[in-house]
Amino acid sequence: MRIATWNVNSITARLPRLLAWLESSGTDVLCLQEAKVAEEQFPSEQLRELGYESAVHATGRWNGVAVLSRVGIEDVVKGLPGDPGFDGSVEPRAISATCGPLRVWSVYVPNGREVDHPHYAYKLQWFEALKAAVAGDAAGSRPFAVMGDYNVAPTDDDVFDPAFFEGSTHVTPAERAALASLREAGLSDVVPRPLKYDHPFTYWDYRQLCFPKNRGMRIDLVYANAPFAKAVGDAYVDREERKGKGASDHAPVVVDLDV
């Protein structure tokens, strides 16, 4: 099986690229983030024409997550149990589903904004809720992964220049401790190989020529339990999909499983 995760940064803006990529890549299961549409506006019919079922948790404008599968979708859970919410509302940032022999979560972790911002505290609380929500599946015998945009670079090697990010979110000790705590639930980081350069960055800002200069970050992650990790045959960042007009600022992370 081939599975992937991709922050498309608006499925409406990226739909032609998404459909073309699904056709060319042979992906069986895709976790999407930042759909930025209401559920009734999600392009389920166009995806169905390609053979994909869709499970969607979205409310429009911001956020929004989905799982696309051509091997079936069952036991869909929308939202994160115990979600702390932000500013009085719970955002559509997590969805889980069973797709054939495996179960996946598609997650869009809160950005955090600034270290002294209430959104940063929310981000850390959200991580705690995520760990509690996935603990059972992480310890199970079925292949399982939490995939998506984590908005955290696990180590200094996962950013183009640690000094550039000093004092900002995505690299703080508390955020990295939250990732380490999540791994303690029985998950490991499936690190993809880069198709170019030395580091498998997954995100490059649109500004300041970050992509051509490879000023990137690895923040789109696949956290897998032992049965999933043992089945990994290959994993890579499809950097080519970040190129050209109308691209998302994230590239897909692709994992091939021997299941």
Side-chain angles (χ1 to χ4, degrees):
M1 289 183 64
R2 172 163 288 178
I3 69 171
T5 182
W6 190 7
N7 180 327
V8 291
N9 190 10
S10 173
I11 195 167
T12 301
R14 239 58 68 186
L15 185 59
R17 293 185 70 125
L18 171 62
L19 296 175
W21 186 81
L22 286 170
E23 283 198 283
S24 65
S25 67
T27 299
D28 297 301
V29 178
L30 175 61
C31 293
L32 287 177
Q33 301 86 42
E34 276 203 275
K36 293 185 177 179
V37 294
E39 289 185 22
E40 59 269 20
Q41 297 171 322
F42 195 84
S44 298
E45 186 56 40
Q46 294 98 314
L47 291 161
R48 190 176 294 112
E49 291 174 0
L50 289 183
Y52 291 89
E53 298 177 74
S54 304
V56 185
H57 184 36
T59 55
R61 192 177 180 186
W62 308 117
N63 308 317
V65 288
V67 177
L68 313 181
S69 173
R70 62 180 186 181
V71 294
I73 290 185
E74 299 177 336
D75 304 322
V76 174
V77 176
K78 295 182 180 182
L80 183 64
D83 192 317
F86 180 71
D87 200 21
S89 65
V90 175
E91 301 170 327
R93 292 183 173 276
I95 188 170
S96 60
T98 299
C99 303
L102 57 90
R103 187 161 181 81
V104 296
W105 279 77
S106 177
V107 299
Y108 179 44
V109 176
N111 178 280
R113 301 182 187 174
E114 298 174 357
V115 174
D116 58 354
H117 195 283
H119 208 261
Y120 179 81
Y122 161 57
K123 180 178 191 174
L124 299 180
Q125 294 166 357
W126 201 92
F127 265 119
E128 292 177 2
L130 178 63
K131 180 180 179 180
V134 306
D137 283 323
S141 60
R142 174 174 54 185
F144 170 74
V146 185
M147 310 173 65
D149 180 356
Y150 279 71
N151 272 315
V152 182
T155 72
D156 281 352
D157 284 340
D158 296 307
V159 297
F160 72 89
D161 180 3
F164 180 85
F165 295 95
E166 187 173 351
S168 66
T169 60
H170 292 57
V171 299
T172 65
E175 290 167 293
R176 288 176 172 173
L179 281 183
S181 180
L182 184 60
R183 294 193 295 269
E184 289 171 0
L187 301 172
S188 61
D189 187 354
V190 178
V191 180
R193 60 183 174 87
L195 295 186
K196 187 177 181 180
Y197 302 116
D198 297 330
H199 298 284
F201 297 145
T202 65
Y203 164 82
W204 301 260
D205 197 300
Y206 287 129
R207 299 166 295 181
Q208 300 176 335
L209 298 175
C210 282
F211 181 65
K213 294 180 179 179
N214 201 37
R215 294 164 60 92
M217 308 175 72
R218 185 173 77 94
I219 57 175
D220 301 88
L221 310 176
V222 177
Y223 270 23
N225 73 349
F228 185 109
K230 290 177 182 177
V232 173
D234 191 16
Y236 62 93
V237 180
D238 190 352
R239 191 180 186 278
E240 293 298 304
E241 196 53 41
R242 177 59 177 82
K243 292 181 177 180
K245 184 178 180 180
S248 171
D249 44 3
H250 296 251
V253 178
V254 182
V255 181
D256 289 333
L257 296 178
D258 299 324
V259 295

